[in-house]
Structures are given as structure tokens and as C-alpha cells.
Amino acid sequence: MLKGRRVVGKGEAMAAHYAFGPHEDDAIIKHRLLTRTTTTRGEPPLKKLQKKFTAFVVEVEKNADNYNDCERLAKTFLQELTTFEIPLLKSKAVVDANVREKEHFNELNDEINSQILQVHAEIENLKKELEASKIERKHKEECETIRKLIATQPPRSETEKMIAELEKEIAALEAEDMASTRMLELRKKQFALLLQVVDELQVTIEDEQRSLVEEMKNLSEEQKVGPQDPSGNAEAMSID
């Protein structure tokens, strides 16, 4: 009635599967060991042995002269006892073999569990090594990228030559800028001076224009009063 056991996957316990519950199985096994029967047919061996023993005891307790019958019943009982004992010895051998197998199974189970723990530890170590390898590979890829970028750049001598030329150009531009600044300052001063001269010239022109206007005004007034002068000065001025 016992079903075969199966080995389950990782992390699961190994257990036996029965057609009945554990308590029912224990009662059935105990009953079969006592009766030595595997089916419900026939008379149980223990009951047959009990009958043989009872018949022998009953015959012995008789007061009659039945030595031959007692001897016959005794032999029959001993034969039945031997017949009953042989399966018990076989059962004992099977039990001992099962005990040894169980011990071997426990040892094998402990060894498998130890190997599982070892494999788990190795897996964790391999995970750490994998992470370290990924980081190292990433660094190598970054270094390779930088190396390729550096390889595309001109040599150091050419770079220094270009820097020197640029420094010369910068110095020339700074000198040119300084010269332009000085020239601009000079032009500013000249322009300021020119504006000052223009202002002074404009003031002079305005002053001369005012003087000319005053003279023309005075001359016009003199011409108006000229004919009334008895000395004839008006005619002389008109001639002039």
C-alpha cells in the first residue's frame, strides 16, 4: 500500500506519499506484522499457530495414555512455529536493510545538502566575480574609447607648434589692438581739438557776422542822415 517516494526539486523536503494517513498506515502495518498476512483471504498464521499450541496443550493435559498424539502435536506446533518464525526473520532482515538504507539515505541527503550549500556559495562567488568582470570590462571599454580619441588627435610636437603659432598670433593681435587703441585715443584727441577749433571758428564767424551787421546798420543810418548835412559829406560818402 506504500507508494514510492520521489525526490523533489531544490529547496523542497523529500517526503513519502501514502494511500492512507500515517496513523492508519501504522495500524495496518502493525496488524500485518502480527498476523503475517498481506491479504484478507486465508487464516492468519498467528491464529493457526495459536490453534496448534492450544491443541498441543489440551492433549498434554489429558490423563490418557496419549504420548504419540502429544509428540505428533508437538512436532506440528514446532513446524508451524518454524514456519511462522521464517517470515519474522525475513521481516527482521528487511527492517535491518531498511534501517541501513535509511542511514545511507540520511548520509546521502546530508552530503547533497552540503553540496547544495557549497554550490550556493560558489554561485554567490561567481556572481561577485561576474560583477567585478563587468566593471573591469566597462573600464577597459572606456580606456579604449579614450585611446581611440587620443589616437585621432595630432602628435604632441604638432600641438605644441600650433600653440606656439597661436601664441604669436595672439601677441601680434594684442600689439595691433594696443596700437589701434593708441590710434583711437589720438584720433579722439584730434577730433576733440577739431571740435574745439570749429567751435572757436564758429564763435569768430558769429562775432564777425554780428560786427558786419552792426557796421551795415550804422552805415544805413548814416546814409539816412547824410542829405541833411550842410557840409556835403553825404555826397562824398555815397561816392565812396
Side-chain angles (χ1 to χ4, degrees), residues 12-48:
E12 298 179 1
M14 291 180 288
H17 296 270
Y18 302 95
F20 301 96
H23 299 290
E24 295 175 355
D25 283 344
D26 291 342
I28 292 171
I29 292 170
K30 183 177 180 180
H31 175 71
R32 288 180 179 174
L33 288 175
L34 292 175
T35 60
R36 303 304 303 166
T37 59
T38 57
T39 63
T40 58
R41 298 178 182 179
E43 192 175 16
L46 186 59
K47 190 172 183 181
K48 290 171 63 178

Side-chain angles (χ1 to χ4, degrees), residues 97-110:
N98 288 335
V99 170
R100 290 193 299 271
E101 183 180 358
K102 182 180 179 182
E103 292 176 354
H104 176 69
F105 175 78
N106 291 334
E107 293 176 358
L108 184 61
N109 188 31
D110 294 338

Side-chain angles (χ1 to χ4, degrees), residues 1-112:
M1 300 295 291
L2 291 174
K3 290 187 176 181
R5 290 178 296 206
R6 65 182 179 90
V7 179
V8 296
K10 173 182 175 182
E12 298 179 1
M14 291 180 288
H17 296 270
Y18 302 95
F20 301 96
H23 299 290
E24 295 175 355
D25 283 344
D26 291 342
I28 292 171
I29 292 170
K30 183 177 180 180
H31 175 71
R32 288 180 179 174
L33 288 175
L34 292 175
T35 60
R36 303 304 303 166
T37 59
T38 57
T39 63
T40 58
R41 298 178 182 179
E43 192 175 16
L46 186 59
K47 190 172 183 181
K48 290 171 63 178
L49 181 63
Q50 182 182 2
K51 286 183 177 181
K52 298 290 183 180
F53 179 74
T54 302
F56 170 70
V57 171
V58 170
E59 191 66 30
V60 169
E61 289 180 352
K62 290 180 179 180
N63 295 324
D65 186 9
N66 55 355
Y67 179 78
N68 293 330
D69 292 335
C70 291
E71 185 178 3
R72 179 179 55 80
L73 292 174
K75 289 181 180 181
T76 304
F77 171 72
L78 292 176
Q79 289 176 356
E80 190 66 29
L81 182 62
T82 303
T83 303
F84 184 79
E85 186 181 11
I86 290 173
L88 291 178
L89 295 175
K90 291 181 179 180
S91 298
K92 184 177 183 302
V94 172
V95 170
D96 294 339
N98 288 335
V99 170
R100 290 193 299 271
E101 183 180 358
K102 182 180 179 182
E103 292 176 354
H104 176 69
F105 175 78
N106 291 334
E107 293 176 358
L108 184 61
N109 188 31
D110 294 338
E111 183 179 356
I112 291 174

Side-chain angles (χ1 to χ4, degrees), residues 98-234:
N98 288 335
V99 170
R100 290 193 299 271
E101 183 180 358
K102 182 180 179 182
E103 292 176 354
H104 176 69
F105 175 78
N106 291 334
E107 293 176 358
L108 184 61
N109 188 31
D110 294 338
E111 183 179 356
I112 291 174
N113 290 333
S114 177
Q115 291 177 357
I116 290 173
L117 294 176
Q118 184 178 358
V119 169
H120 284 172
E122 291 178 356
I123 290 173
E124 293 298 326
N125 292 332
L126 290 175
K127 285 182 179 180
K128 293 179 181 179
E129 291 179 1
L130 180 60
E131 292 298 326
S133 298
K134 287 181 179 179
I135 295 173
E136 184 178 0
R137 181 178 179 182
K138 183 179 180 181
H139 290 168
K140 287 182 179 179
E141 290 177 353
E142 292 176 352
C143 292
E144 183 66 18
T145 302
I146 295 173
R147 188 190 66 79
K148 291 180 179 179
L149 181 61
I150 292 174
T152 58
Q153 301 300 320
R156 184 182 181 89
S157 58
E158 293 184 4
T159 304
E160 291 178 350
K161 183 177 179 181
M162 291 175 62
I163 292 174
E165 292 178 355
L166 290 175
E167 288 178 351
K168 290 181 181 179
E169 291 181 2
I170 292 172
L173 290 173
E174 289 178 351
E176 184 178 353
D177 181 68
M178 187 176 294
S180 298
T181 303
R182 291 178 180 177
M183 182 62 69
L184 181 61
E185 293 294 330
L186 180 61
R187 291 290 185 268
K188 285 182 179 179
K189 292 179 181 180
Q190 291 176 350
F191 186 71
L193 181 60
L194 179 62
L195 290 177
Q196 184 179 358
V197 171
V198 170
D199 290 339
E200 292 177 356
L201 181 61
Q202 186 175 0
V203 171
T204 302
I205 292 173
E206 289 177 355
D207 292 340
E208 289 179 355
Q209 287 179 351
R210 284 197 297 271
S211 299
L212 181 60
V213 169
E214 290 293 332
E215 290 179 358
M216 291 180 66
K217 183 177 179 182
N218 293 332
L219 181 60
S220 176
E221 290 178 355
E222 289 178 357
Q223 288 178 355
K224 288 180 180 180
V225 296
Q228 296 177 2
D229 190 357
S231 62
N233 289 331

